[in-house]
Amino acid sequence: MQAAQSRDVPVLEFPKLTALKSERWLVGIHLIVAFSALSLGLLMGPFQAFHRAPALKWDIPIFSYYYQALTLHGVLNALVFTTFFIVGFSYFVTQRTLQRPMASIRAAWVAFVMMFVGLALAAFAIITGQANVLFTFYPPLVAHPTFYLGLTLVIVGSWVAGGNIFFTYASWKRDHKGKRVPLAVYATLANFIMWITATIGVAVEVLFLLLPLSLGLVQTTDPQVARIMFWFFGHPLVYFWLLPAYTAWYTMMPKQNGVRLFSDGLGRMAFLMIMILSIPIGVHHLFADPGVSEVAKLFHALLTLVVAFPSLLTAFNIAATLEMAGQKRGSKGLMGWVFKQNWGSPVMAGYITGMLIFIIGGITGIMNASFTLNIALHNTTWVPGHFHTTLAGGVFLTYMGIFYWLLPFLSGRKLFAPKLATAQVYLWFVGMLLFGMSMGRAGIEGAPRRTDVATAGYVNANAVPWLNLTAVAGMILLVSAILLYVVILGTLFASKKQEQAEAEPPIDTEAPADDPSPGIFENWRIWLVVIVISNLIMWGPVLIQALDFTNGFIIFGFHPNAPIPLK
Ligand code: HAS
């Protein structure tokens, strides 16, 4: 670590990208849609907690039906906010790092329009109460066709965005033969390769199973096949959310701290491993499903433990980088660097609180991967406890850190009330920690998830205090969410203009020459082959077993062996 620290820190010189005039609008419009969707999605969160707390049992205002509000919460926050934010952020990272506009600005706008129309269609179905199917939309729950069409459009739009990123990278590669692409774009490419591969699963599910059912073209379906197709996509989805946060930790945090990343090569290895390993492990979401063999469950469980490894590499690499930042500020002793972090900056507070809460999210994830524990906890609030510390904790706090430097950059205005922004971050951290902990504990006491416990009437008495505590956490999170929008609106409408130079983004335009990594890391063709083969091995038998060829073919709803009457 000492050796790495003594290397020169590169001078931070950001080129003026006057050629990228469309950049602000392109990135900005994605963020506007993301944060608009999030405002409604977030609001539903605390009201869920108030509704589920036995001491309150408040009805959710605006949306009176619990499952409608829960669908709105999950779809807007976990699918819509994230996808728009990630696509916008990825465009930004690609253009700034590679010093060129997107390969096709027109295609980028076409992708945006597709995603936006998709959002409008899905929102129509949910808001009118015709898609109370939650964000996993498991059949035999059926939604209005516009819900499925809408989600399909969002996904196809994101494919166009991903393709555009690849073409931009290809044109950079032509001009920089033999050079390694900088880490931020390496991570972005890995993320989109994983995303495009994984979304094929959900696209097939929607087009061949759910849409025909919803349109009334078929009368039956097979929930097991649908769940398999969903989780082919569903687990890489969580890494699709995570990788932009890792991109900020690996490539932006060091620069914002005036140090360099401890190891660029180790970072590449982590992104590569996540890209390859995130898809062939999704059966860990199906441990409770009788239609999946024990052998498949065993192998997916083993690989799930392997996929935690790149996150452990990340913990080491990032902690070492933070340690160097602390030492640069004069820290002493083994742990002195912890106290020398820039805890007062909303950006750093977002990143570091995100890392801290993610430690808990990660540990609970590894616990979920244990088959025996999972069987006890799968249908309880333990699982939302896990994903609120990963997605709504580690990932979202980091996105806030990113947003607090990206917003001033894009708007050309100073961040409004930075201290308020910092307070907002800490409130979110405390609220989410309390929420995750109390949901987890309520789950251990048997509180069910995806259930309207306020009306169900069968909650174990031991779970009651913990469910009540989630309402307290919900209150803290509501205050934090309101502050977030005060800062956003304050920056846009009440803040002073700032010079471009004051807001230059923390982007590296070159990979470090003295921190090499094997050239094979960037040979995407090889990794694509590895991805295809590993998934054929890990998912092929699972799907073949569920398809039950001996009794008829399930696609298009025809499955004489196990018809499920829906109407
Ligand atoms: Fe998960 C269920 C296993 C990661 C999200 N997960 C879910 C669901 C969601 C979700 C949404 O095995 C529920 C879906 C549904 O509705 O049914 N998950 C894992 C494992 C990991 C994991 C092994 N999950 C995530 C991430 C998510 C996410 C990331 C969102 C972003 N998950 C499961 C399983 C289930 C599951 C089962 C099924 C449960 C069921 O029964 O339904 C791992 O990838 C986690 C690895 C992470 C770590 C932590 C490393 C720590 C780091 C921070 C370092 C800190 C530093 C700070 C450096 C090992 C990198 C130092 C600074 C100082 C100042 C000190």
Side-chain angles (χ1 to χ4, degrees):
M1 195 177 306
Q2 288 300 332
Q5 191 189 3
S6 62
R7 289 183 211 142
D8 285 342
V9 174
V11 181
L12 309 186
E13 266 185 25
F14 296 103
K16 301 276 172 264
L17 291 181
T18 44
L20 303 184
K21 281 191 183 145
S22 61
E23 179 197 47
R24 287 187 179 194
W25 269 110
L26 185 60
V27 177
I29 196 85
H30 284 84
L31 297 189
I32 289 170
V33 176
F35 279 88
S36 306
L38 183 74
S39 61
L40 185 55
L42 276 186
L43 195 63
M44 291 300 109
F47 285 109
Q48 303 278 314
F50 302 156
H51 182 70
R52 288 171 59 95
L56 296 176
K57 288 192 182 179
W58 282 0
D59 270 336
I60 300 158
I62 319 172
F63 296 98
S64 55
Y65 188 47
Y66 171 79
Y67 295 101
Q68 184 181 14
L70 187 53
T71 306
L72 210 52
H73 180 64
V75 171
L76 290 185
N77 292 351
L79 300 182
V80 174
F81 165 73
T82 50
T83 310
F84 277 87
F85 184 93
I86 293 167
V87 170
F89 179 64
S90 302
Y91 283 153
F92 184 81
V93 167
T94 306
Q95 297 187 112
R96 285 273 147 180
T97 308
L98 303 183
Q99 298 286 288
R100 60 191 60 217
M102 298 308 298
S104 166
I105 294 291
R106 190 173 296 165
W109 282 105
V110 169
F112 171 76
V113 171
M114 287 174 87
M115 287 167 57
F116 186 73
V117 172
L119 163 63
L121 288 174
F124 161 79
I126 305 173
I127 289 170
T128 55
Q130 300 178 78
N132 302 321
V133 291
L134 311 189
F135 93 100
T136 40
F137 44 88
Y138 289 151
L141 296 175
V142 187
H144 191 269
T146 53
F147 177 78
Y148 302 116
L149 274 176
L151 291 186
T152 308
L153 272 178
V154 172
I155 287 173
V156 176
S158 73
W159 288 350
V160 177
N164 208 347
I165 290 171
F166 270 92
F167 282 116
T168 314
Y169 161 73
S171 82
W172 179 88
K173 206 69 190 166
R174 274 195 296 275
D175 298 343
H176 297 79
K177 288 214 166 63
K179 281 204 161 187
R180 287 181 311 156
V181 72
L183 185 57
V185 174
Y186 185 84
T188 306
L189 294 170
N191 205 17
F192 273 92
I193 290 179
M194 179 182 75
W195 172 252
I196 292 173
T197 315
T199 41
I200 293 171
V202 74
V204 169
E205 182 201 1
V206 167
L207 290 177
F208 293 108
L209 295 176
L210 302 181
L211 203 53
L213 190 66
S214 166
L215 288 168
L217 301 177
V218 295
Q219 302 303 314
T220 64
T221 193
D222 187 327
Q224 186 64 79
V225 174
R227 288 162 70 89
I228 289 169
M229 299 312 291
F230 183 86
W231 286 113
F232 178 87
F233 146 84
H235 196 74
L237 168 70
V238 314
Y239 293 102
F240 181 64
W241 301 329
L242 182 66
L243 289 201
Y246 274 10
T247 306
W249 297 355
Y250 273 106
T251 69
M252 289 149 193
M253 179 278 285
K255 221 165 172 83
Q256 285 159 326
N257 262 322
V259 292
R260 54 187 291 172
L261 177 64
F262 175 71
S263 170
D264 181 279
L266 206 58
R268 278 168 209 260
M269 196 161 116
F271 286 115
L272 186 63
M273 286 184 75
I274 291 178
M275 176 184 83
I276 296 169
L277 290 168
S278 67
I279 309 177
I281 60 174
V283 163
H284 69 222
H285 293 268
L286 302 171
F287 281 157
D289 285 37
V292 179
S293 76
E294 302 298 303
V295 177
K297 286 174 186 168
L298 173 70
F299 280 102
H300 281 244
L302 288 174
L303 264 194
T304 303
L305 298 177
V306 180
V307 88
F309 184 67
S311 288
L312 296 172
L313 290 182
T314 302
F316 173 75
N317 211 345
I318 299 303
T321 309
L322 286 172
E323 183 181 352
M324 293 192 302
Q327 285 174 357
K328 199 172 170 232
R329 291 193 199 101
S331 74
K332 301 235 167 3
L334 193 62
M335 295 305 288
W337 58 274
V338 172
F339 306 99
K340 288 283 180 184
Q341 300 305 318
N342 197 351
W343 294 101
S345 133
V347 174
M348 283 304 151
Y351 295 167
I352 301 179
T353 55
M355 294 169 198
L356 291 174
I357 197 168
F358 189 61
I359 296 175
I360 298 170
I363 292 171
T364 51
I366 293 170
M367 291 165 75
N368 291 341
S370 146
F371 181 78
T372 33
L373 269 179
N374 187 286
I375 289 298
L377 296 168
H378 171 70
N379 276 321
T380 73
T381 57
W382 166 271
V383 176
H386 158 67
F387 69 70
H388 278 82
T389 44
T390 48
L391 173 59
V395 169
F396 187 57
L397 278 162
T398 307
Y399 284 10
M400 280 192 247
I402 295 170
F403 189 60
Y404 281 145
W405 60 258
L406 193 52
L407 178 64
F409 178 80
L410 293 175
S411 65
R413 293 177 179 275
K414 286 183 185 298
L415 185 68
F416 178 76
K419 284 192 177 144
L420 198 69
T422 309
Q424 183 270 316
V425 167
Y426 284 115
L427 271 179
W428 191 269
F429 173 63
V430 171
M432 203 47 84
L433 212 53
L434 187 62
F435 185 78
M437 191 267 292
S438 40
M439 284 293 268
R441 185 59 203 265
I444 292 174
E445 301 295 352
R449 73 159 153 158
R450 296 187 181 127
T451 303
D452 185 355
V453 288
T455 51
Y458 50 76
V459 178
N460 187 339
N462 290 346
V464 169
W466 300 105
L467 287 174
N468 286 338
L469 210 52
T470 62
V472 177
M475 190 62 81
I476 299 172
L477 291 166
L478 183 60
V479 174
S480 175
I482 292 169
L483 293 185
L484 170 67
Y485 284 88
V486 169
V487 175
I488 296 177
L489 295 175
T491 305
L492 293 179
F493 301 111
S495 198
K496 286 192 191 132
K497 288 198 170 168
Q498 68 177 4
E499 292 296 318
Q500 171 82 2
E502 287 180 62
E504 281 295 2
I507 301 275
D508 264 327
T509 53
E510 284 188 17
D514 56 351
D515 190 352
S517 51
I520 195 171
F521 278 14
E522 213 176 313
N523 192 334
W524 304 110
R525 280 200 189 93
I526 291 186
W527 303 122
L528 266 178
V529 173
V530 171
I531 288 174
V532 171
I533 293 177
S534 59
N535 283 297
L536 282 176
I537 295 170
M538 296 297 283
W539 281 103
V542 177
L543 192 60
I544 288 170
Q545 185 195 9
L547 280 174
D548 191 1
F549 289 102
T550 50
N551 286 299
F553 198 40
I554 176 64
I555 301 285
F556 293 118
F558 176 60
H559 195 321
N561 196 33
I564 293 181
L566 289 161
K567 299 217 167 117

